[in-house]
């Protein structure tokens, strides 16, 4: 293509001393042979092919890139992303590069081989979306008076919001820390604040104290102290109002892409259809159903990926391995020391495996089980009805209670059993998050309002959180014994008025049998079974089922033999 092509844009950047035909070619080659990060050539004149891409930062009306200290990266989710000098000053530090060694989905990688993405690229994607959104508000709503400092801090908050994650991401702060440090209220957001402080201090990043405190508040999603910044800015990275933020925009798309789940959510459209009204981010009324879809996608990912039963089993194994090594390696104490925390990544597993320190034998044995796929086993799960939430609690349903219901030859110990109380929801516990979102109409962009779910669809759920009890066994040989003990315990809470059990079938257990839904039935005395067979109710049920089979087949069907213990009927 010659220089006179209509698809070429020339720019001299205001340099009147250069002739109109004199320019340096700015070649953009994102082929596989080029490195991921490329630095634009330093030149006062630029050349672009129209339609090849649209620069996102440092642009004027003609779309001309201006910023020789910036870099492009090619992201699989957002395409070509431009990182400005402020972001690069934080990215090119040991504290941020640490995120390359933290798996985004933790133990899910052991179940979904495609889940190889790390916190590093997620943080860059979140920063990109944060910059896109705040710059759009600045350009389309000048009355908001968004400053360059606001833009800078919002992008850096998106970039640094996950600096505090530990090994295997949420395994560390949700499972390991509460057991290693009972009573601790530490969160990875607090770790992010600590690591951000050290990042700025160690690398002489150009951020003043007021901006640093503002970035911390943006990461926490709440205004603290005497900040005079506008309230809507705190909803961009971490939205405590309705949980709709750029962090969620990025990880939903990125996680679906990497685990191979098809998703129809279009976060770029949601961002374009938003504006600020009364210091709150609002969305166009046409997007209300798309927002329900987004929250359902989040719920689906938790249901299918983040809380996958095998992934959770491996989570518990990693947690047990870290706990067994904590007294030797001081893992939990690193959360208070940024220098030690800097080196605490997913590589801690390799450190344990190759260490010759005495006292790590138990931890090594657990990790070897992970490597050889000798995993903790899922036993059973039970959805908790709303009316039983007050009774089925951790006080009444735990490992000790299950073990107390074991059979005479089961030989179960408390350490054999893991009980998990799982909550999957639409991001705001049992509340409808869309009830906390305001919308605007195309006819009036100055007024915001709520849209009740009854106005959206009759298929919108009436409940927005499911509560579940899950049981795992550390010893694969004891799965059946744990299962039967758990079902015996649960039968105490599922009794009808006449004293009979109405415990739902264990359809998710590996020991489920449609003909024998509960272990109580298998363990009942022979005399009881015989008396039930001879009862009028049982005879009527049997005759009715045989009659139905005859009417469908047109011929006599032999009765099916069901084996329950040593009795056949």
């Amino acid at each position: 293509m010659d220089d006179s092509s209509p698809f070429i844009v020339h720019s001299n950047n205001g340099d009147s001393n250069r002739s109109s035909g004199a320019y340096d070619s700015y070649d953009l080659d994102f082929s596989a042979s080029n490195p991921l990060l490329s630095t634009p050539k330093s030149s006062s004149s630029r050349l672009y092919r129209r339609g090849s891409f649209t620069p996102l930062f440092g642009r004027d009306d003609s779309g001309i890139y201006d910023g020789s200290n910036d870099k492009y990266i090619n992201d699989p989710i957002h395409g070509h992303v431009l990182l400005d000098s402020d972001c690069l000053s934080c990215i090119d530090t040991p504290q941020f590069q640490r995120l390359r060694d933290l798996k985004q989905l933790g133990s899910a990688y052991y179940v979904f081989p495609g889940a190889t993405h790390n916190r590093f690229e997620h943080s860059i994607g979140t920063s990109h979306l944060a910059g896109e959104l705040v710059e759009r508000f600045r350009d389309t709503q000048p009355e908001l008076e968004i400053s360059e400092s606001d833009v800078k801090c919002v992008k850096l908050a998106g970039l640094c919001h996950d600096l505090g994650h530990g090994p295997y991401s949420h395994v560390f702060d949700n499972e390991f820390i509460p057991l290693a440090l009972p009573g601790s209220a530490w969160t990875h957001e607090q770790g992010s604040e600590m690591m951000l402080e050290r990042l700025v201090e160690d690398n002489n990043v150009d951020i003043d104290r007021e901006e640093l405190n503002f970035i911390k508040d943006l990461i926490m999603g709440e205004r603290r102290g005497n900040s005079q910044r506008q309230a809507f800015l705190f909803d961009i990275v971490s939205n405590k109002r309705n949980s709709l933020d750029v962090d969620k925009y990025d990880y939903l798309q990125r996680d679906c892409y990497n685990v191979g789940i098809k998703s129809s959510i279009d976060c770029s459209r949601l961002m374009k259809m938003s504006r600020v009204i009364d210091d709150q981010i609002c969305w166009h009324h046409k997007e209300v159903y798309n927002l329900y879809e987004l929250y359902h996608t989040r719920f689906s990912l938790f249901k299918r990926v983040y809380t996958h039963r095998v992934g959770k089993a491996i989570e518990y194994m990693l947690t047990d391995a870290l706990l067994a090594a904590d007294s030797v390696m001081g893992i939990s104490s690193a959360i208070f020391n940024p220098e030690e925390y800097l080196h605490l990544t997913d590589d801690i597993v390799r450190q344990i495996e190759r260490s010759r320190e005495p006292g790590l034998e138990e931890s090594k044995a657990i990790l070897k089980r992970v490597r050889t796929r000798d995993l903790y086993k899922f036993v059973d799960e039970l959805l908790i009805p709303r009316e039983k939430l007050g009774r089925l609690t951790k006080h009444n349903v735990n490992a000790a209670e299950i073990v107390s219901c074991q059979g005479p030859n089961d030989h179960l110990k408390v350490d054999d059993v893991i009980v998990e109380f799982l909550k999957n929801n639409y991001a705001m516990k049992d509340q409808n998050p869309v009830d906390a979102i305001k919308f605007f109409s195309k006819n009036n962009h100055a007024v915001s309002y709520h849209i009740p779910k009854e106005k959206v669809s009759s298929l919108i759920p009436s409940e927005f959180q499911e509560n579940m009890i899950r049981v795992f066994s550390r010893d694969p040989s004891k799965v059946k014994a744990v299962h039967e003990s758990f079902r015996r315990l649960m039968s105490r809470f599922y009794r009808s008025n006449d004293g009979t059990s109405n415990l739902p079938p264990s359809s998710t257990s590996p020991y489920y049998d449609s003909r024998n839904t509960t272990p109580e039935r298998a363990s009942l005395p022979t005399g009881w079974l015989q008396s039930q067979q001879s009862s009028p109710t049982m005879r009527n049920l049997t005759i009715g089922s045989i009659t139905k089979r005859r009417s469908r087949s047109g011929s006599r069907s032999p009765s099916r033999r069901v084996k329950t213990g040593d009795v056949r009927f």
Side-chain angles (χ1 to χ4, degrees):
M1 184 179 294
D2 58 30
D3 296 342
S4 62
S5 170
F7 296 98
I8 296 293
V9 177
H10 300 280
S11 172
N12 291 324
N13 287 343
D15 189 352
S16 59
N17 294 327
R18 297 176 63 98
S19 63
S20 59
Y23 58 85
D24 294 326
S25 174
Y26 186 80
D27 298 319
L28 296 176
D29 183 6
F30 293 107
S31 62
S33 60
N34 284 349
L36 184 62
L37 294 177
S38 59
T39 305
K41 297 177 181 179
S42 177
S43 173
S44 60
S45 179
R46 306 296 183 214
L47 177 149
Y48 283 101
R49 299 186 190 279
R50 287 195 189 275
S52 60
F53 70 99
T54 301
L56 302 176
F57 303 102
R59 61 179 183 261
D60 56 24
D61 291 340
S62 62
I64 302 304
Y65 168 77
D66 184 18
S68 59
N69 294 324
D70 304 340
K71 289 184 179 180
Y72 283 101
I73 67 167
N74 188 5
D75 181 71
I77 307 302
H78 308 300
H80 296 110
V81 175
L82 185 62
L83 301 174
D84 61 23
S85 57
D86 291 322
C87 290
L88 289 174
S89 66
C90 292
I91 292 175
D92 297 334
T93 63
Q95 288 78 14
F96 190 86
Q97 293 294 319
R98 168 181 175 270
L99 299 182
R100 290 182 183 272
D101 300 319
L102 297 176
K103 285 285 185 292
Q104 172 79 9
L105 298 186
S107 63
Y109 172 56
Y110 289 91
V111 181
F112 298 89
T116 57
H117 55 305
N118 302 310
R119 292 281 164 182
F120 179 85
E121 49 265 39
H122 164 63
S123 297
I124 290 177
T126 303
S127 176
H128 162 67
L129 293 180
E132 283 272 274
L133 189 58
V134 72
E135 286 193 334
R136 181 181 175 278
F137 291 151
R138 181 194 62 188
D139 297 341
T140 60
Q141 295 184 260
E143 69 275 8
L144 296 176
E145 299 181 349
I146 297 175
S147 66
E148 288 301 319
S149 176
D150 290 336
V151 174
K152 169 186 174 181
C153 292
V154 167
K155 288 194 289 186
L156 291 180
L159 190 70
C160 300
H161 77 285
D162 274 350
L163 287 178
H165 268 294
Y168 293 93
S169 294
H170 290 291
V171 174
F172 188 78
D173 55 338
N174 290 348
E175 304 292 345
F176 170 71
I177 289 297
L179 295 174
L181 302 174
S184 173
W186 184 87
T187 64
H188 75 268
E189 288 88 359
Q190 294 174 350
S192 295
E193 292 190 24
M194 176 185 73
M195 296 302 289
L196 178 59
E197 284 273 3
R198 184 51 59 95
L199 183 153
V200 172
E201 179 183 340
D202 283 0
N203 301 280
N204 299 317
V205 177
D206 185 19
I207 302 176
D208 61 39
R209 173 51 57 179
E210 190 276 334
E211 288 181 330
L212 184 59
N213 290 335
F214 178 42
I215 294 171
K216 290 181 180 180
D217 291 350
L218 291 171
I219 291 173
M220 296 299 293
E222 57 186 357
R223 180 190 283 139
R224 299 175 294 186
N226 299 318
S227 175
Q228 301 301 313
R229 309 276 184 153
Q230 300 178 82
F232 76 89
L233 295 172
F234 297 89
D235 295 338
I236 293 178
V237 175
S238 180
N239 192 337
K240 297 295 179 63
R241 195 192 307 267
N242 49 49
S243 190
L244 192 58
D245 48 48
V246 295
D247 177 27
K248 191 171 277 77
Y249 288 163
D250 184 85
Y251 80 68
L252 289 180
Q253 295 179 97
R254 195 174 300 276
D255 293 351
C256 285
Y257 174 85
N258 282 279
V259 302
I261 292 178
K262 304 300 181 184
S263 172
S264 61
I265 59 174
D266 185 357
C267 294
S268 62
R269 174 182 171 89
L270 290 174
M271 291 173 61
K272 288 180 173 64
M273 302 293 278
S274 63
R275 63 184 287 107
V276 177
I277 304 174
D278 297 330
D279 215 8
Q280 179 178 344
I281 301 175
C282 305
W283 281 262
H284 196 286
H285 69 93
K286 292 195 300 184
E287 300 306 306
V288 60
Y289 188 75
N290 291 334
L291 292 176
Y292 275 109
E293 283 288 295
L294 182 144
Y295 286 114
H296 182 76
T297 298
R298 178 192 181 275
F299 168 81
S300 181
L301 279 171
F302 269 87
K303 186 82 170 176
R304 300 163 63 185
V305 179
Y306 307 153
T307 61
H308 189 283
R309 61 181 66 171
V310 178
K312 290 297 293 185
I314 297 175
E315 275 192 20
Y316 290 124
M317 298 186 77
L318 294 173
T319 300
D320 286 350
L322 294 178
L323 288 171
D326 191 30
S327 60
V328 178
M329 305 185 70
I331 300 171
S332 59
S333 62
I335 65 174
F336 306 110
N337 187 327
E339 289 301 321
E340 294 181 8
Y341 202 64
L342 176 64
H343 302 288
L344 188 59
T345 65
D346 293 354
D347 189 59
I348 186 66
V349 167
R350 291 290 189 185
Q351 293 181 36
I352 294 172
E353 290 177 318
R354 62 175 173 259
S355 175
R356 295 184 179 181
E357 285 285 335
L360 293 178
E361 290 77 11
E362 180 183 356
S363 182
K364 288 182 178 180
I366 297 172
L367 294 176
K368 185 176 181 180
R369 288 184 61 181
V370 175
R371 300 294 188 193
T372 57
R373 212 67 178 180
D374 179 22
L375 306 178
Y376 295 171
K377 295 300 182 182
F378 168 80
V379 174
D380 202 356
E381 66 182 18
L382 183 69
L383 277 171
I384 306 176
R386 178 183 290 270
E387 63 272 13
K388 295 186 181 294
L389 287 175
R391 296 188 62 202
L392 295 175
T393 64
K394 293 181 180 180
H395 177 72
N396 297 325
V397 183
N398 51 55
E401 291 293 331
I402 292 175
V403 170
S404 69
C405 296
Q406 66 179 301
N409 298 315
D410 289 340
H411 307 295
L412 293 179
K413 305 186 297 294
V414 172
D415 288 342
D416 293 330
V417 183
I418 300 172
V419 179
E420 175 191 24
F421 279 78
L422 182 65
K423 296 180 179 180
N424 284 337
N425 50 49
Y426 270 32
M428 291 191 67
K429 298 183 178 179
D430 60 349
Q431 302 299 309
N432 180 2
V434 182
D435 286 342
I437 296 177
K438 287 190 174 182
F439 299 87
F440 61 88
S441 69
K442 63 180 180 180
N443 298 322
N444 191 343
H445 290 182
V447 177
S448 62
Y449 53 90
H450 295 284
I451 300 179
K453 68 184 181 70
E454 293 78 13
K455 300 287 186 179
V456 181
S457 171
S458 59
L459 299 182
I460 300 296
S462 57
E463 295 188 13
F464 296 90
Q465 176 171 278
E466 67 174 20
N467 298 272
M468 185 180 298
I469 299 175
R470 274 182 171 178
V471 180
F472 296 83
S473 173
R474 287 187 171 91
D475 187 345
S477 66
K478 297 182 179 180
V479 173
K480 186 174 182 180
V482 174
H483 174 257
E484 294 180 352
S485 299
F486 173 67
R487 299 295 291 182
R488 291 190 191 101
L489 176 62
M490 288 297 97
S491 65
R492 299 177 183 176
F493 300 94
Y494 286 83
R495 294 288 179 186
S496 58
N497 294 332
D498 59 0
T500 59
S501 174
N502 56 6
L503 181 63
S506 177
S507 58
T508 59
S509 170
Y511 289 94
Y512 170 71
D513 186 329
S514 61
R515 301 165 299 175
N516 174 27
T517 58
T518 63
E520 292 87 351
R521 184 177 178 83
S523 59
L524 288 172
T526 302
W528 183 90
L529 288 172
Q530 292 173 341
S531 66
Q532 291 298 305
Q533 296 171 46
S534 61
S535 69
T537 302
M538 179 63 73
R539 285 201 305 270
N540 291 337
L541 289 174
T542 305
I543 294 172
S545 62
I546 294 175
T547 303
K548 288 181 180 178
R549 286 199 297 271
R550 285 179 180 175
S551 63
R552 286 196 297 265
S553 63
S555 60
R556 181 181 180 89
S557 300
S559 60
R560 185 171 56 179
R561 303 174 72 188
V562 181
K563 182 175 181 179
T564 306
D566 295 326
V567 180
R568 296 190 179 190
F569 61 93

